């Protein structure tokens, strides 16, 4: 970062000189967006008839296992480096004990294996949190109205090992329990999965922008209360930085800020302070805002690439975005 940029007074300095032609603009462009910066989150359902478009996310579909295979082939062909699986699980099989979260045959683990079969070089990322299998929609166990930390971490470890066993390359703990990164890391080391990477949702805020996602995974009707006792208050900056520092110290390979666009200040600060691989999640509500306005004719589709470039300008190495395949096609 240039701390003291020198700018001659007008008319010696005319910044418009460098904006005059496409060639001059290309020479002085500071940021790039490439297909290598994209991670594609997909929803995979095990519910008969559960596939199809998500009403609050027009253009995004819940996929069957076959659909997930096709998505993986598409991602590989486009050069998207990673796909991230979110399970839409059978609502009748959700329990308080969340036992299916670490079942090798749960829909998430089946999707990992299905994708690895058709696209072995595509990195497969997972979500670690109990909510898809939890009868009350929380990311952790609920005991007496409280989301309990340490018992949840034990379950997350079981969940992570099952995912690693199924062939996941990147584990994404999105639960925000304390101590989970260290616990996951040592369990992976102990089980011979020392090369499985962790992208920690380190700075995950208690955000209203997750609404459409909760529709997509069928958690909306389930969630009792809110997630404010584990996700970060949107008012807080220093706390997010402490959580990133802690997760890196516990062995996270990569860190994430979530949501994305409204939290770019945090992205920039995380990248500058820790110089670690830094990612952001352009979440479902951000997608819904852009796509809703685009479909209404209120915004041009150019805002999609512009929004992703903004993440790059803020220091992000990559972005989880539902627009990944569309943007990859645009870049090709
Ligand atoms: C839950 C999880 C959420 C998202 C990813 N993992 C929702 C939540 O915390 O309630 C949100 C993603 C999005 O909104 O696109 N473990």
């Amino acid at each position: 970062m240039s701390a003291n940029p020198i700018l001659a007074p007008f008319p010696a300095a005319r910044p418009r000189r460098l904006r005059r032609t496409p060639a001059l603009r290309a020479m002085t462009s500071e940021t790039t967006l490439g297909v290598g910066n994209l991670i594609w989150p997909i929803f995979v359902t095990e519910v008969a008839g559960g596939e199809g478009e998500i009403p609050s996310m027009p253009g995004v579909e819940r996929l069957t296992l076959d659909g997930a295979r096709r998505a993986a082939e598409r991602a590989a062909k486009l050069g998207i480096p990673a796909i991230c699986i979110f399970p839409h699980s059978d609502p009748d099989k959700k329990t308080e004990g969340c036992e299916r979260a670490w079942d090798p045959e749960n829909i998430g683990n089946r999707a990992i294996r299905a994708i690895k079969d058709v696209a072995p070089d595509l990195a497969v990322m997972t979500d670690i949190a109990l909510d898809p299998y939890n009868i009350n929609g929380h990311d952790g166990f609920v005991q007496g109205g409280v989301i309990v930390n340490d018992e949840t971490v034990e379950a997350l470890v079981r969940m992570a090992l099952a995912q690693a066993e199924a062939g996941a390359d990147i584990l994404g703990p999105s639960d925000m329990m304390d101590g989970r990164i260290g616990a996951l890391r040592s369990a992976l080391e102990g089980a011979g999965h020392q090369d499985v990477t962790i992208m920690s949702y380190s700075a995950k805020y208690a955000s209203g922008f997750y609404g459409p996602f909760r529709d997509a995974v069928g958690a909306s009707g389930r969630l009792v209360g809110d997630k404010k006792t584990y996700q970060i208050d949107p008012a807080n900056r220093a706390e997010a930085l402490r959580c990133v520092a802690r997760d890196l110290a516990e062995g996270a390979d990569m860190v994430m800020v979530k949501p994305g666009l409204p939290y770019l200040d945090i992205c920039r600060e995380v990248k500058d302070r820790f110089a670690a691989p830094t990612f952001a999640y352009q979440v479902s509500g951000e997608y819904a805002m852009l796509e809703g306005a685009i479909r209404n004719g209120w915004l041009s589709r150019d805002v999609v690439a512009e929004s992703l470039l903004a993440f790059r300008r803020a220091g992000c190495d990559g972005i989880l975005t539902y627009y990944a395949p569309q943007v990859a096609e645009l870049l090709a």
Side-chain angles (χ1 to χ4, degrees):
M1 280 254 80
S2 44
N4 294 302
I6 293 167
L7 188 65
F10 176 84
R14 289 182 184 268
R16 288 188 57 195
R17 279 185 207 121
L18 293 178
R19 300 181 197 140
R20 188 174 57 86
T21 69
L24 289 165
R25 291 196 293 273
M27 284 173 64
T28 55
S29 174
E30 299 176 35
T31 310
T32 59
L33 174 69
V35 69
N37 305 127
L38 304 172
I39 300 176
W40 182 15
I42 60 167
F43 301 105
V44 187
T45 184
E46 64 178 344
V47 179
E51 70 270 22
E53 196 171 62
I54 298 146
S56 50
M57 300 179 75
V60 175
E61 295 189 1
R62 281 192 214 107
L63 307 170
T64 60
L65 271 184
D66 260 337
R69 283 188 195 94
R70 283 192 295 274
E73 284 166 339
R74 184 177 174 206
K77 213 155 145 198
L78 285 166
I80 295 172
I83 208 163
C84 182
I85 300 166
F86 290 98
H88 176 248
S89 66
D90 186 341
D92 297 333
K93 293 188 183 158
K94 298 188 187 198
T95 60
E96 288 212 5
C98 310
E99 292 83 3
R100 293 192 79 216
W102 51 92
D103 181 345
E105 294 306 320
N106 72 25
I107 183 64
N109 291 332
R110 284 162 63 204
I112 296 171
R113 292 193 297 268
I115 289 173
K116 278 288 165 189
D117 268 353
V118 297
D121 296 333
L122 182 68
V124 174
M125 177 169 168
T126 64
D127 186 61
I128 301 183
L130 299 181
D131 55 327
Y133 306 101
N134 200 345
I135 197 151
N136 46 52
H138 275 291
D139 293 10
F141 290 130
V142 183
Q143 289 173 8
V146 173
I147 290 86
V148 294
N149 193 87
D150 301 10
E151 293 84 342
T152 298
V153 170
E154 282 176 32
L156 298 174
V157 165
R158 285 197 285 273
M159 188 176 188
L161 290 175
Q163 293 174 349
E165 220 45 69
D169 300 285
I170 307 168
L171 305 183
S174 69
D175 54 282
M176 289 301 280
M177 297 299 119
D178 290 322
R180 89 264 209 227
I181 302 302
L184 293 175
R185 177 55 74 211
S186 75
L188 290 167
E189 287 288 327
H193 293 300
Q194 65 277 358
D195 290 331
V196 172
T197 68
I198 298 175
M199 182 189 293
S200 180
Y201 288 64
S202 299
K204 178 170 178 179
Y205 285 89
S207 171
F209 287 103
Y210 309 147
F213 174 96
R214 292 179 192 167
D215 295 342
V217 297
S220 304
R222 295 277 173 180
L223 187 62
V224 182
D226 55 48
K227 299 191 175 184
K228 290 181 184 169
T229 69
Y230 45 106
Q231 299 177 348
I232 300 175
D233 181 342
N236 295 355
R237 169 187 146 272
E239 183 185 357
L241 297 173
R242 291 198 299 274
C243 288
V244 170
R246 175 201 60 185
D247 287 359
L248 288 169
E250 289 184 18
D253 302 286
M254 304 174 262
V255 293
M256 193 205 296
V257 175
K258 177 185 175 189
L261 228 42
Y263 294 81
L264 288 187
D265 56 327
I266 307 296
C267 296
R268 167 50 66 199
E269 208 162 348
V270 165
K271 187 64 187 178
D272 284 352
R273 278 199 187 217
F274 303 106
T278 302
F279 294 78
Y281 199 143
Q282 182 175 51
V283 299
S284 57
E286 299 177 65
Y287 175 87
M289 286 198 300
L290 293 178
E291 192 61 23
I294 292 165
R295 288 189 182 214
N296 270 296
W298 298 335
L299 288 174
S300 113
R301 197 159 283 282
D302 297 343
V303 295
V304 172
E306 180 182 334
S307 72
L308 298 178
L309 193 65
F311 286 98
R312 297 278 297 139
R313 195 192 60 238
C316 294
D317 297 289
I319 308 109
L320 287 96
T321 174
Y322 301 100
Y323 282 116
Q326 203 178 105
V327 170
E329 267 158 19
L330 201 81
L331 293 169

